Amino acid sequence: MRKFFTLLVLSVVAFIAYTYGAKAGRGRYREIQAGIDALWNDPRVKKARKQAVKRAEKAAKSL
């Protein structure tokens, strides 16, 4: 699980660096943003986010 989290954080950092540092221009940025928006608003992702929040709240209560 730790390796997965590290890989996820590294991927996010790399994506942000690419987005801000790329010389591909505004068009490529808009393509990337559209892809992120589509992923973020996907019903399966929304459901997973809600489940993650519920699990986090449950874990916080058990502490």
Side-chain angles (χ1 to χ4, degrees):
M1 184 66 172
R2 177 94 174 143
K3 287 183 180 181
F4 174 75
F5 181 75
T6 303
L7 182 61
L8 180 65
V9 170
L10 182 62
S11 298
V12 169
V13 169
F15 173 76
I16 291 170
Y18 173 77
T19 302
Y20 284 110
K23 294 182 181 181
R26 191 76 173 154
R28 180 65 180 146
Y29 172 78
R30 287 184 179 145
E31 287 178 22
I32 293 169
Q33 189 63 39
I36 291 171
D37 288 342
L39 177 67
W40 186 257
N41 294 320
D42 185 281
R44 294 174 292 179
V45 175
K46 284 183 179 182
K47 183 178 178 181
R49 285 195 319 257
K50 287 180 183 179
Q51 289 176 347
V53 168
K54 286 180 184 179
R55 288 181 182 171
E57 289 172 349
K58 185 178 178 181
K61 288 179 183 179
S62 68
L63 292 177

